[in-house]
Every structure is written in C-alpha cells, then in structure tokens.
Amino acid sequence: MAGQKDEQDSLLHVNGQSGAQPEQVSLVVGQSQQPPVDAAPAYVHKRKFQDRTTNPSLWNTKEFYFYYFVFITCIPYMFKTAHDASSESNPNYYKIEDLLSDGWFGFKVDNSDEQYANFRNNLPLLVGVIMIYLPLSHLYRRLLVPVTPLKSPLQPLYRAYFFLAFSAIYLYFMHGNSILKIGAIVSINYAIAKIGGSSRWMPAMTWIFNLSILFMNETYRGYTFAALHESLAWLDVNRGMNTRWDVNFNFTMLRLVSFNLDYYWSLKHPRESILKEDRDKAPETDKERASTPVFAEDYNFAYYLAFALYAPLYVAGPIMTFNDFVSQLRYPKETAGKTFGMWIGRLIFCLLTMEFTLHYMHMVAVSKRQAWENDSVLQICMIGLFNLILIWLKLMIIWRFFRLWALMDGIDAPENMIRCVTNNYSALGFWRSWHKSYNLWVLRYIYIPLGGTRYAIYNIWVVFTFVAVWHDINLKLLAWGWLISLFISPEIIATKVFSKKKWGSWPYYRHLCAVGAVGNILMMMIANLVGFCIGLEGVKLMLYDLFSTAQGWMTMCCCFCAMFVCAQMQFEVREAEKRRGIFLNC
C-alpha cells in the first residue's frame, strides 16, 4: 500500500541501502519472528537491522532523462504490439473469436478468464449483499456492542455472534447443503486443537488433517452426499449458487491452521504471562496483533467459527490470523472516512482499467487457445507479459473488493498487493508484495517454525511446494513452485557475493545490480508464465523463438535494454520512498 510503512518479516530480510542502488538481501542467522514450534513466546518481536541511509535524487539527471525517453516510446509500442496480437486483423483471430463476448460501445470483450468472469458477472449481486450486510452490522454494533475496548476476558465479543449468524445464511445461499460438509471439517479441526492441547502431536495432526482435506477435495471434487450413503442423496439437490465449495475452502483451510497453531502457542506462552500493563493495552502494530496471544477464554468454538467463516473474507481473503481477528474485536481500529474514499476510488479506477484492457486486447483468450502461430517474437513476448499483468490486476481487484468490505465492517485485513507487478526486480521482494497476507501466513506457520533464515536455502523448497499444492494440485503448478525455488537461489548467492559492503564503493555498482535485476525479472516471468499463463509448452516455444533466430536475439537484446532501464527506475522509486520515510521492504 503506497504510503504505508511496513515492518513485516519476510522470507529473507532485505536491507535498504544508499543511493539509487537496490535493496540487498542478507541472511540474518537466528533472528525469527516465531521460533520452531514451542520455543520463544510468539509475542516477542526482534528488530532486524535495516540500512535507511539515502542519497540525493537522480530524477533530474541526464541519465534519467534518457530513461524517460525510453519509457514514453516503449510503453505505447508494447500496448500496440499486444493489441495487434489479438486484433481482428491478426490471422489467428478466428481461433479466439468464440471466446469473446459483446462489450461496451460495440467492442468485443475478453471475459474468458473463469475466475474474473465469475466475479465480474456477480459484481452487482455482491454489491447488493454488502448493502444489506453493512447497515445490519453497524446497527447491531451500535445497539449491542460496548464502545469502549473489551479488556477483560469476561466481556463477551457480541459482534462474533452477528458474524456467525450472517455467515451461516451467506454460506447456505452460496453452497446450499454443502454447508454441512464445511461444518463437519471445521468441527473436526477444532476437536484436534482442543483434544491435542499443548501436546507436540497437535500441530502435526493439524497439518496432516488439513493437507489431507486439500487432497481429498481435489480428488473427489467436494464429495457428494450420495457417495457417503445413498439415503443422503436428496441433500445433493440443493448445492447453492456455487457448487464448488471446495475451491473456496482453500482459504478456510488457512484459517483453520491459524486457529490451531495460535491456540497451541498460547498454551505454551499464555497472554497472562505478559506484564499486566502490556496485557491491558491494545497491540500497537499489525505484527503485535497477529502474534500476541488473546485471552484463553477467546479460543472457543463460537469465536473460532466466526473467524473461519467470516463472510467478507470467506471467498478470497485477505488472510488474517485468529489472534489478529479477535484482537480487532476487543480493541476496534478507527478508520478515517477519507481512507474509505481513497480505497473506493482506487477500486473503481482498477475496475475501469481492467475493462479498458479486456476490450483493447484479448490476451487471456489468446493464451487459452495458444493462438500465436506465425506471430512475431515480440508479439509472443507481449502476450506473456500482458497475461501476467492481467493476472495481477484481476487478483488485486478481487482482493481489494473483499478487503474493502471487511474494512467498512471495522476489520482491517492486510493489503495483498502493495506494488505493481511490473515494479519488482527481486524474486524475494516480489513474493512479499504479491498476496502479502498469504506471505505473512506462510512465514508465521511454515517458514519460521522450520527454522527461518537459518535454513532459508532449504525451507524455500518446502514453502513453494506447499504454495503450489495449495493453489491447485497439478504438475504445472508444482513445476512453477520448484522453478521459483530454483530461481531464488541465484539471487541469494549473488547478493552475498556482490554485497554492498564489498562492492558498494564501485561507481558502477548500481548498474551491476541492474543487470542482476534483469536476470531476476526474466526468471520470475518464466516461472509465472509456466504456472499461470501459457504453460510449459508455450514457454518452450517462446524461448525457442527467442534464441533460435536472429530476430529473436535482436528482440531479446532490446528487451534486456528496456528491462535494464526499468530496473534503474525501480531502484530510484525505492530511494524516493526512503527519502519520504516509507520502507515497504520489497
């Protein structure tokens, strides 16, 4: 989020540095936010060193005037190239024509992305639900919920009961009788937490159970009641508006794990062990809310259900920890009215940008049909690039929509997209700014319990294997996860070999870093094209065309130069943020 200071931990800590040079990665041995399973208390926060020195601005130098010229000439040409790759004049247009729909002002629109099409088509209905929910929620809060913070465990969280009641109705309309399946899974997970308590097998059973549910959901596509017993077949008649409840359940699974592990750590280091003056005051930062245990009485079934099934965040997140959720009920956060206006304005702008892009170019349809036969190498590259941009834009719209709903309800979930997809030169920084709430969840519940930065080079393989399986259980995404793990390793090695401490005084160090950044950008594009866009075969074709022809080599050289300029601009953007006191750590 622009303008927001971010002190969150990351997969690997990034140190800011002076001048227009990029932030460098350093492995900080033994400094973890949450130690392995049952070591230090979860509420102990260790500050990691961060170099915050800056150099004078480079925006008004001759070097950057040249970069501006490159920007104003290349970017319009990139848009035109992408447009030509999917326009009616393209020989491959007949392959995608049936995927296009009638759009605004007589133009065709590419509504072939199933995820975004589902959101786009149901947007009026979702807005209607919000217009019913918010007045009811605020009326309930005004009539029944005390205004002052609820500092005692004897003070019940009345809002949790409203959340639970509305969520039950909301989920029934969404999934029909499948709400019984959701209830059964959620109840079993709660039983594991309460029966296991502080025993060492409880976290293991939590992970075994929830990973098993992921695989079973994928295998049986959400199950049917008839498969359980033929006498239950009548329950399959009502499956709600969204029959695939198991797809959305991936987010619920993260909340189930969060509750169990937060509860486990609270038994090891309960809130009562904190000094009374600290225990009675509201947590000051997002990190403290996420990691400080709530009262023992708050780990109950009603609050657990309210958290796991909270309607505004149920479908797509953002993801919160149980501690954070309950903390915000006990110590409500005040959000200024202009903040709502800012987020509403941003959401509308993003929606309009998406509409323009889907009407102007049809990249999703082209990638679905692999309709790039005889296209130029540059056109194929732009198909890949704009597919990644569209993925980023659609996810940002969906996540910001549901986050805004929660924010207007008084629950401040983490902002997922804090940088544009094209404003990333570091693989590590990219994953801190893309789906940030998920990144923080992975850090807290997987990466740090496995040893954190002490075993970073090994842990990233476990982390990205889980991330791939969580998204979808298929070979393409596993390949994506392993490619990400593989491509992160050169960055770790390079930043240790060419560290600022050793090379920072060299006058061309910033340019050396820009060359490394280009390599990172190319590797991130390849991995994400494999996982989410054109797949292995499409990437093979693209790479073959790039490196097997003279035209391909020329295109590659031009792309390298353009990305080099882009990296220099990204470095200076971060320097400008540091000069304003903004440290996003990505």
Side-chain angles (χ1 to χ4, degrees):
M1 186 192 316
Q4 175 185 344
K5 293 185 180 181
D6 181 20
E7 296 292 342
Q8 300 294 346
D9 282 335
S10 53
L11 283 179
L12 294 174
H13 181 59
V14 174
N15 291 332
Q17 64 183 35
S18 61
Q21 298 160 355
E23 297 175 343
Q24 297 297 310
V25 180
S26 65
L27 300 183
V28 184
V29 179
Q31 294 188 359
S32 301
Q33 176 186 340
Q34 177 67 55
V37 187
D38 52 7
Y43 51 82
V44 172
H45 306 291
K46 298 183 179 181
R47 293 281 181 178
K48 296 178 180 179
F49 171 74
Q50 188 176 46
D51 180 7
R52 297 188 172 187
T53 58
T54 61
N55 274 355
S57 171
L58 296 177
W59 294 122
N60 291 321
T61 61
K62 292 180 180 179
E63 176 189 351
F64 272 70
Y65 289 149
F66 172 72
Y67 296 159
Y68 303 150
F69 173 76
V70 173
F71 258 65
I72 63 176
T73 54
C74 285
I75 292 178
Y77 186 65
M78 290 164 62
F79 270 85
K80 181 182 182 303
T81 302
H83 170 74
D84 292 344
S86 62
S87 67
E88 293 184 11
S89 61
N90 189 287
N92 295 307
Y93 183 77
Y94 74 94
K95 296 180 181 179
I96 66 170
E97 192 170 8
D98 62 306
L99 293 178
L100 307 181
S101 311
D102 292 330
W104 303 102
F105 309 114
F107 291 95
K108 291 291 185 178
V109 62
D110 182 1
N111 200 31
S112 59
D113 183 292
E114 294 179 6
Q115 185 181 32
Y116 188 73
N118 187 45
F119 173 80
R120 184 176 183 265
N121 297 340
N122 289 296
L123 186 58
L125 179 60
L126 286 169
V127 171
V129 171
I130 292 174
M131 293 179 68
I132 294 171
Y133 174 88
L134 288 177
L136 290 176
S137 179
H138 285 281
L139 179 64
Y140 180 92
R141 186 177 182 179
R142 180 178 293 272
L143 295 178
L144 298 176
V145 180
V147 177
T148 57
L150 306 174
K151 299 181 179 180
S152 169
L154 301 178
Q155 295 175 287
L157 304 177
Y158 290 111
R159 293 197 71 200
Y161 299 105
F162 174 82
F163 293 163
L164 184 55
F166 188 90
S167 295
I169 298 170
Y170 180 66
L171 263 64
Y172 183 76
F173 275 98
M174 279 187 63
H175 304 308
N177 293 330
S178 293
I179 193 175
L180 299 175
K181 306 169 192 174
I182 298 170
I185 295 171
V186 169
S187 299
I188 294 171
N189 183 76
Y190 181 81
I192 290 172
K194 289 298 181 177
I195 295 172
S198 61
S199 65
R200 294 184 65 87
W201 65 264
M202 195 273 268
M205 286 302 300
T206 295
W207 278 109
I208 291 171
F209 172 73
N210 282 281
L211 288 175
S212 299
I213 292 297
L214 280 186
F215 280 93
M216 290 172 65
N217 282 353
E218 179 67 22
T219 303
Y220 297 103
R221 297 180 65 83
Y223 332 103
T224 60
F225 286 104
L228 300 175
H229 196 277
E230 58 183 14
S231 64
L232 301 176
W234 63 275
L235 290 171
D236 290 320
V237 175
N238 179 14
R239 301 178 66 185
M241 297 174 60
N242 182 358
T243 59
R244 292 299 308 277
W245 67 270
D246 49 298
V247 174
N248 298 124
F249 193 80
N250 284 20
F251 284 94
T252 306
M253 173 260 179
L254 301 180
R255 291 186 278 269
L256 302 191
V257 172
S258 174
F259 173 84
N260 282 24
L261 295 188
D262 282 1
Y263 175 62
Y264 175 80
W265 286 323
S266 76
L267 294 176
K268 295 293 183 179
H269 305 283
R271 184 182 181 89
E272 288 68 25
S273 65
I274 309 174
L275 293 175
K276 189 178 188 306
E277 57 267 25
D278 294 328
R279 187 168 66 239
D280 290 343
K281 68 181 182 181
E284 296 179 355
T285 66
D286 294 342
K287 183 186 293 186
E288 288 180 6
R289 285 204 315 272
S291 59
T292 302
V294 295
F295 293 112
E297 292 82 356
D298 290 336
Y299 295 96
N300 63 56
F301 192 57
Y303 299 172
Y304 162 72
L305 286 179
F307 164 68
L309 308 178
Y310 180 54
L313 304 181
Y314 177 80
V315 172
I319 303 152
M320 302 176 66
T321 69
F322 178 79
N323 289 342
D324 188 2
F325 182 79
V326 171
S327 176
Q328 291 195 43
L329 293 183
R330 287 210 172 275
Y331 306 94
K333 292 184 66 176
E334 293 297 328
T335 304
K338 64 179 182 181
T339 301
F340 294 125
M342 177 191 72
W343 284 111
I344 292 171
R346 286 183 173 184
L347 179 61
I348 292 173
F349 177 77
C350 292
L351 283 166
L352 293 176
T353 302
M354 186 63 148
E355 286 300 305
F356 166 77
T357 309
L358 293 179
H359 284 74
Y360 182 71
M361 61 183 73
H362 310 133
M363 296 295 97
V364 179
V366 170
S367 65
K368 277 180 174 287
R369 294 289 169 82
Q370 297 191 359
W372 50 67
E373 185 179 356
N374 296 322
D375 281 356
S376 70
V377 176
L378 183 60
Q379 284 180 319
I380 296 175
C381 290
M382 291 303 102
I383 291 169
L385 175 63
F386 278 95
N387 261 290
L388 293 178
I389 293 173
L390 286 170
I391 290 173
W392 166 78
L393 187 55
K394 76 164 181 181
L395 291 176
M396 182 172 66
I397 289 170
I398 293 170
W399 286 332
R400 284 190 174 177
F401 178 87
F402 289 109
R403 180 178 183 268
L404 180 62
W405 180 3
L407 193 64
M408 296 177 76
D409 192 34
I411 300 296
D412 187 0
E415 163 63 11
N416 271 336
M417 297 292 199
I418 60 176
R419 285 205 190 277
C420 176
V421 65
T422 56
N423 187 17
N424 289 279
Y425 62 83
S426 162
L428 297 167
F430 176 77
W431 293 113
R432 284 190 290 271
S433 65
W434 176 291
H435 206 171
K436 180 184 173 183
S437 67
Y438 185 48
N439 176 269
L440 295 175
W441 186 95
V442 168
L443 282 172
R444 178 167 170 78
Y445 299 111
I446 301 179
Y447 181 76
I448 294 174
L450 289 177
T453 52
R454 285 173 292 179
Y455 309 108
I457 202 70
Y458 308 108
N459 287 345
I460 56 176
W461 291 90
V462 179
V463 165
F464 282 105
T465 298
F466 170 78
V467 170
V469 168
W470 179 82
H471 276 87
D472 200 1
I473 302 170
N474 62 51
L475 183 60
K476 186 171 75 170
L477 279 173
L478 279 174
W480 164 82
W482 293 334
L483 280 173
I484 292 293
S485 302
L486 179 65
F487 291 163
I488 283 176
S489 301
E491 180 178 343
I492 296 172
I493 295 169
T495 49
K496 289 176 73 69
V497 174
F498 299 100
S499 65
K500 182 191 172 187
K501 184 176 180 181
K502 297 177 183 178
W503 292 79
S505 59
W506 188 42
Y508 299 103
Y509 180 61
R510 174 164 55 89
H511 303 298
L512 175 66
C513 292
V515 172
V518 171
N520 269 342
I521 293 169
L522 287 173
M523 288 188 289
M524 285 190 290
M525 288 182 64
I526 290 171
N528 286 289
L529 287 172
V530 168
F532 298 102
C533 295
I534 58 180
L536 281 168
E537 292 304 316
V539 169
K540 286 180 183 177
L541 173 63
M542 182 185 297
L543 294 177
Y544 177 80
D545 287 341
L546 276 174
F547 296 109
S548 65
T549 64
Q551 183 193 16
W553 279 101
M554 186 177 297
T555 301
M556 192 66 219
C557 289
C558 292
C559 289
F560 181 93
C561 294
M563 286 187 283
F564 181 88
V565 170
C566 184
Q568 296 283 7
M569 300 285 279
Q570 292 177 30
F571 296 166
E572 186 60 19
V573 165
R574 284 154 179 78
E575 279 298 308
E577 290 173 350
K578 289 163 66 177
R579 287 190 288 268
R580 299 199 310 272
I582 300 170
F583 302 89
L584 294 181
N585 202 26
C586 60

